[in-house]
């Protein structure tokens, strides 16, 4: 479960990195992102990425770091496809992500 | 200066890529499938599909090793080598093999059998098939050619790939800015986006796999330090590096070995709780006979298994190896472990697989893009040059031909009769015949129509594979899901997904083909 949480944090992080870019933000929300919001999104994204790195390396440093590279690859692939083909679905997913993170975190702690 | 630097890097990227892209595609394709080497082998052997995995796998090993060795003792006294593979996370059965003493100057023949770990009885109907091992060897030994030549070719291709990757990073100026960019339906631009996206999303993997791939063959590519240090060159170096792999020649003097059970019990008294992966006896009953236990390294980033070597006559421990690495050995071995991915649990294995597919997309899209760009620059009345037609033909033959060939290989596994002599080789011949058929068609003509026809052929073949499997074996996708046989279910689902992807491709190509005459008509209308 901790690995699922690590992946979700990684995906959230890269979603943030994508949304911090004006063109992608516009394709998802229909408006341009302002500089302040973009900066905040980027900070949150870095925190999520750090959290993902810590979680994936929790048990084994080496194995976890390879996993993290894989999570990043899959996150970027999913995001690029969602942004191109289903930006509206991505918007729904963004609203769902915090909830998903909380549920997975609770399940991981249990 | 800046402009010319970028231009020269672009030139380097284009030509290093184009020159070896088809060989690289084959290497990446076979390598990606090799991540599931054992799973493919498992699928290839229907006799072992219904063997239940064990809950107490490690605890049961002591009895299994004894049973397997006693079976070999009873059935293969005259063998050169006994080989026992224990059940692992990826393999539920005990593999029991032995190698004949080959005739003068020839290698002995291997004979394989499976044992049920639950009943310790041999399972019949071993199917003569290379399974996943074929893709594993194809990845670096190619086929129908001398191994050394093949490995040099693969190494050159890998070196070119590494140059392509580094120059690609240099010329891709907006690597972070355009990270998620994929503009669909924009011709060459879409191909460029696909090329960039598949490269960037798995860039750490691509660099790692290419670099460590070269490292796996480093002693062939760069033998000079070993040749300088050792009077007898590489051979002496390897003997020093890995003494447990050295085989003394059979002397022919027979000795009385201790009972295998006693030797196994002695090992477990000395080293209890070790998870054993493999047990080998070299030259049984000869005075040079050695019993070797290989430990499972699990998820540790270590490729070489720890090994214990015993004298079979007096039960003395002769040596242990790979239990304590020096810094340089650790570095080398961890690179090999990263490349082979043997350490992976299913989750990481799938990530490796996805990254491998991304590598195939990167190489394929790069090759297609080159041809598209040249076509785009051609004037309306200009005919395609030989070079362009060759590239287009090779692109089609490689990208669409390899999936056809792979499907042919799997069909051969299910349809060739078990009694067929040279069955394993016949499967491989069918793989290459399938590929040859597509290649001949592609080199004759490689237009949109041919791409569409091959996409349709692939869709039909991959859709038919699970059906063929259901008709020729006792299981099918539904039963696999009910019995929780996830490897077999995954294989079928992956076939269906592949068929779906090719179907979508054929639909897209059909609409593109339909659009073409309409555009031509419209242009003609404007001219009038």
């Amino acid at each position: 479960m901790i690995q699922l949480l690590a992946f979700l944090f990684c995906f959230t992080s890269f979603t943030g990195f994508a949304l911090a870019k004006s063109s992608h933000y516009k394709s998802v929300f229909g408006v341009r992102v302002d500089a302040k919001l973009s900066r905040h999104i980027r900070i949150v994204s870095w925190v999520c990425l750090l959290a993902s790195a810590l979680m994936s390396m929790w048990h084994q440093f080496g194995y976890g770091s390879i996993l993290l590279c894989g999570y990043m690859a899959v996150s970027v692939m999913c995001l690029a496809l969602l942004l191109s083909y289903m930006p509206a679905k991505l918007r729904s997913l963004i609203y769902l992500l915090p909830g998903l993170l909380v549920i997975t975190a609770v399940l991981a702690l249990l | 200066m800046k402009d010319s630097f970028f231009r020269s890097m672009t030139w380097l990227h284009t030509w290093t890529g184009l020159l070896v892209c088809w060989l690289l595609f084959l290497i990446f394709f076979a390598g990606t499938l090799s991540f599931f080497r054992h799973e493919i082998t498992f699928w290839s052997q229907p006799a072992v599909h219904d063997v239940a995995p064990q809950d107490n796998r490690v605890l049961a090993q002591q009895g299994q090793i004894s049973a397997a060795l006693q079976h070999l003792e009873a059935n293969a006294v005259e063998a050169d080598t006994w080989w026992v593979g224990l059940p692992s996370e990826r393999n539920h059965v005990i593999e029991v093999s032995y190698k004949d003493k080959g005739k003068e100057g020839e290698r002995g023949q291997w004979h394989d059998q499976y044992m049920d770990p639950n009943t310790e009885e041999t399972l019949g109907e071993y199917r003569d098939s290379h399974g996943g091992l074929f893709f594993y060897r194809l990845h670096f030994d190619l086929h129908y050619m001398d191994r050394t030549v093949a490995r040099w070719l693969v190494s050159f291709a890998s070196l070119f790939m590494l140059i392509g990757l580094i120059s690609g990073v240099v010329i891709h100026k907006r690597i972070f800015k355009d990270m998620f960019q994929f503009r669909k339906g924009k011709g060459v631009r879409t191909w460029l986006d696909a090329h960039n996206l598949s490269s960037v999303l798995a860039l750490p993997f691509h660099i790692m796999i290419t670099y460590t791939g070269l490292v796996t063959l480093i002693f062939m590519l760069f033998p000079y330090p070993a040749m300088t240090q050792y009077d007898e060159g590489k051979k002496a170096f390897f003997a020093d590096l890995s003494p447990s792999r050295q085989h003394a020649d059979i002397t022919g003097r027979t000795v009385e070995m201790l009972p295998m059970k006693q030797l196994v019990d002695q090992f477990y008294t000395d080293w209890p709780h070790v998870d054993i992966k493999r047990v080998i006896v070299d030259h049984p009953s000869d005075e040079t006979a050695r019993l070797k236990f290989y430990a499972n390294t699990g998820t540790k980033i270590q490729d070489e298994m720890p090994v214990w070597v015993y004298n079979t006559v007096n039960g003395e421990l002769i040596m242990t190896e790979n239990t304590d690495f020096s810094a340089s050995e650790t570095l080398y071995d961890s690179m090999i472990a990263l490349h082979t991915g043997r350490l992976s649990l299913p989750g990481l294995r799938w990530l490796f697989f996805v990254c491998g597919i991304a590598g195939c997309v990167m190489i394929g899209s790069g090759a297609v893009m080159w041809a598209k760009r040249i076509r785009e620059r051609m004037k309306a009345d200009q005919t395609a040059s030989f070079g362009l037609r060759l590239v287009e033909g090779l692109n089609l033959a490689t990208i669409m031909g390899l999936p056809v060939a792979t499907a042919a290989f799997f069909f051969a596994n299910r349809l060739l009769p078990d009694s067929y002599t040279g069955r394993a080789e016949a499967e491989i011949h069918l793989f290459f015949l399938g590929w040859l058929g597509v290649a001949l068609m592609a080199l004759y003509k490689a237009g949109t129509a041919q791409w569409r026809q091959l996409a349709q052929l692939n869709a039909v073949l991959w859709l038919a594979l699970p059906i063929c499997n259901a008709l020729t074996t006792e299981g099918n996708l539904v039963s696999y899901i009910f019995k929780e046989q996830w490897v077999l279910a995954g294989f079928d689902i992956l076939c269906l997904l592949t068929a779906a992807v090719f179907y979508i491709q054929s639909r897209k190509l059909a609409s593109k083909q339909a659009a073409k005459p309409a555009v031509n008509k419209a242009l003609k209308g404007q001219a009038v």
Side-chain angles (χ1 to χ4, degrees):
Chain A
M1 199 50 82
I2 190 106
Q3 290 305 335
L4 179 64
L5 190 63
F7 171 69
L8 281 176
F9 264 107
C10 184
F11 184 77
T12 311
S13 159
F14 277 88
T15 310
F17 286 134
L19 291 181
K21 290 174 208 303
S22 175
S23 58
H24 295 317
Y25 191 92
K26 200 176 172 194
S27 68
V28 175
F29 294 107
V31 286
R32 295 183 80 81
V33 62
D34 65 72
K36 201 174 159 195
L37 180 61
S38 170
R39 200 170 56 246
H40 286 165
I41 293 175
R42 214 167 279 152
I43 293 168
V44 173
S45 301
W46 277 110
V47 172
C48 285
L49 190 61
L50 189 70
S52 173
L54 287 175
M55 273 172 228
S56 43
M57 294 176 202
W58 193 261
H59 293 297
Q60 270 177 287
F61 176 78
Y63 193 83
S65 50
I66 312 171
L67 269 176
L68 182 67
C69 290
Y71 293 157
M72 290 198 277
V74 173
S75 301
V76 175
M77 186 179 73
C78 294
L79 277 165
L81 293 176
L82 282 168
L83 281 167
S84 306
Y85 291 95
M86 293 179 270
K89 289 254 163 55
L90 180 61
R91 192 172 57 219
S92 317
L93 191 62
I94 291 164
Y95 293 134
L96 281 174
L97 267 177
L100 274 175
L101 280 170
V102 171
I103 293 168
T104 321
V106 170
L107 288 174
L109 283 172
L110 288 174
Chain B
M1 171 65 203
K2 196 183 167 198
D3 208 27
S4 69
F5 173 72
F6 275 104
R7 217 176 290 158
S8 55
M9 277 290 151
T10 310
W11 181 91
L12 183 71
H13 183 75
T14 308
W15 292 104
T16 48
L18 188 72
L19 199 63
V20 292
C21 62
W22 305 288
L23 178 59
L24 271 179
F25 191 90
L26 170 69
I27 298 168
F28 250 79
F29 182 83
T32 304
L33 288 181
S34 299
F35 287 131
F36 287 118
R37 172 185 157 191
H38 294 299
E39 286 74 9
I40 294 174
T41 306
F42 176 63
W43 181 88
S44 315
Q45 299 289 343
V48 305
H49 284 184
D50 286 323
V51 174
Q54 291 178 297
D55 298 328
N56 52 350
R57 191 178 58 80
V58 180
L59 284 175
Q61 283 178 345
Q62 187 172 356
Q64 290 168 356
I65 299 169
S66 298
L69 288 176
Q70 279 164 359
H71 170 79
L72 287 165
E73 217 169 8
N75 295 291
V77 193
E78 292 294 314
D80 174 79
T81 312
W82 294 342
W83 195 100
V84 178
L86 274 297
S88 65
E89 299 89 348
R90 297 171 67 192
N91 170 33
H92 299 162
V93 289
I94 310 172
E95 294 168 67
V96 186
S97 308
Y98 68 91
K99 190 170 84 169
D100 283 339
K101 285 174 189 154
K103 286 175 198 156
E104 201 66 39
E106 275 180 36
R107 282 187 174 195
Q109 190 79 29
W110 279 100
H111 301 267
D112 308 296
Q113 235 179 349
Y114 287 119
M115 275 175 95
D116 188 326
N118 303 296
T119 60
E120 291 174 2
E121 280 173 13
T122 48
L123 293 160
E125 301 165 49
Y126 175 83
R127 187 165 277 185
D128 184 22
S129 167
H130 287 301
L133 184 68
F134 165 63
F135 295 102
Y136 174 69
R137 307 292 317 189
L138 183 69
H139 175 59
F140 57 93
D141 275 350
L142 307 178
H143 206 77
Y144 298 126
M145 66 160 73
D146 181 61
R147 273 185 192 176
T148 315
V149 176
R151 286 178 189 193
W152 273 103
L153 283 173
V154 171
S155 300
F156 270 117
S158 308
L159 191 65
F160 274 47
M161 168 95 175
L162 197 59
I163 295 170
L165 280 170
I166 295 165
S167 56
V169 171
V170 172
I171 60 172
H172 186 15
K173 295 176 206 166
R174 294 153 63 90
I175 202 158
F176 290 111
K177 229 175 181 180
D178 290 349
M179 192 179 228
F180 308 96
Q181 187 144 285
F182 182 69
R183 287 158 291 191
K184 55 183 171 76
K186 295 236 163 90
V188 177
R189 187 142 285 283
T190 303
W191 283 100
L192 177 64
D193 281 349
H195 185 63
N196 287 344
L197 185 64
S198 54
S199 319
V200 172
L201 71 87
L203 191 63
F205 171 83
H206 296 327
I207 294 177
M208 177 280 283
I209 213 80
T210 314
Y211 186 77
T212 53
L214 283 166
V215 170
T216 58
L217 296 171
I218 198 71
F219 296 119
M220 182 192 81
L221 299 170
F222 199 60
Y224 307 106
M227 283 159 77
T228 325
Q229 286 292 317
Y230 293 87
D231 291 336
E232 289 170 55
K234 270 202 306 185
K235 208 176 165 193
F237 164 71
F238 284 123
D240 200 12
L241 183 71
S242 184
S244 71
R245 283 199 184 162
Q246 303 311 306
H247 293 258
D249 290 331
I250 292 183
T251 59
R253 281 188 287 274
T254 316
V255 289
E256 187 74 30
M257 295 196 294
L258 288 174
M260 282 298 141
K261 190 173 180 325
Q262 187 182 331
L263 286 165
V264 174
D265 290 346
Q266 187 189 329
F267 171 81
Y268 275 95
T269 313
D270 296 345
W271 313 94
H273 315 304
V274 181
D275 182 3
I276 296 292
K277 190 163 190 178
R278 188 177 299 164
V279 177
I280 297 176
V281 180
D282 284 334
H283 311 155
S285 298
D286 190 78
E287 67 175 344
T288 56
R290 297 284 180 267
L291 170 64
K292 302 175 190 171
F293 293 89
Y294 290 83
N296 191 346
T297 48
T299 55
K300 261 173 81 180
I301 305 184
Q302 179 181 338
D303 198 61
E304 287 289 342
M305 292 174 271
V307 50
W308 292 263
V309 182
Y310 281 86
N311 185 324
T312 55
V313 178
N314 54 21
E316 181 196 342
L317 176 68
I318 299 170
M319 67 173 102
T320 56
E321 205 180 288
N322 304 330
T323 46
D324 195 17
F325 282 133
S326 69
S328 56
E329 277 176 317
T330 308
L331 179 68
Y332 171 74
D333 195 61
S334 56
M335 285 202 209
I336 308 290
L338 280 178
H339 188 88
T340 56
R342 288 192 188 105
L343 54 102
S344 316
L345 295 175
L348 182 57
R349 191 163 296 284
W350 276 102
L351 292 174
F352 265 107
F353 183 78
V354 169
C355 290
I357 296 284
C360 293
V361 173
M362 170 181 74
I363 298 163
S365 58
V368 170
M369 194 168 58
W370 186 90
K372 291 237 171 226
R373 275 220 171 121
I374 301 284
R375 276 241 172 244
E376 216 177 46
R377 281 182 206 153
M378 271 170 40
K379 287 176 189 134
D381 55 345
Q382 215 174 343
T383 50
S385 65
F386 171 73
L388 176 60
R389 276 186 286 129
L390 181 70
V391 169
E392 284 178 337
L394 286 171
N395 283 349
L396 179 57
T398 316
I399 297 168
M400 302 303 276
L402 272 173
V404 171
T406 308
F409 179 79
F410 290 141
F411 273 110
N413 181 279
R414 285 293 182 260
L415 296 177
L416 283 176
D418 279 348
S419 54
Y420 192 88
T421 325
R423 197 181 182 289
E425 281 306 309
E427 283 179 16
I428 296 173
H429 293 325
L430 281 167
F431 174 92
F432 285 104
L433 274 175
W435 198 10
L436 181 71
V438 175
L440 288 175
M441 172 185 168
L443 289 172
Y444 174 67
K445 202 156 190 238
T448 311
Q450 285 71 33
W451 276 86
R452 190 169 61 84
Q453 285 155 9
L454 284 172
Q456 285 167 341
L457 176 67
N458 265 309
V460 171
L461 284 175
W462 286 97
L463 177 68
L465 194 55
I467 299 169
C468 171
N469 176 55
L471 293 174
T472 52
T473 62
E474 281 164 24
N476 56 57
L477 181 55
V478 179
S479 74
Y480 297 150
I481 292 171
F482 277 115
K483 287 187 197 165
E484 297 181 14
Q485 292 174 312
W486 300 121
V487 171
L488 298 168
F491 192 101
D492 276 4
I493 291 169
L494 212 56
C495 289
L496 295 177
L497 271 177
T498 313
V501 168
F502 281 119
Y503 175 72
I504 294 167
Q505 187 195 11
S506 74
R507 298 282 301 179
K508 293 233 169 213
L509 286 168
S511 60
K512 194 178 157 191
Q513 237 182 332
K516 253 187 192 171
V519 170
N520 287 346
K521 254 187 197 172
L523 284 174
K524 267 183 196 167
Q526 274 176 5
V528 171

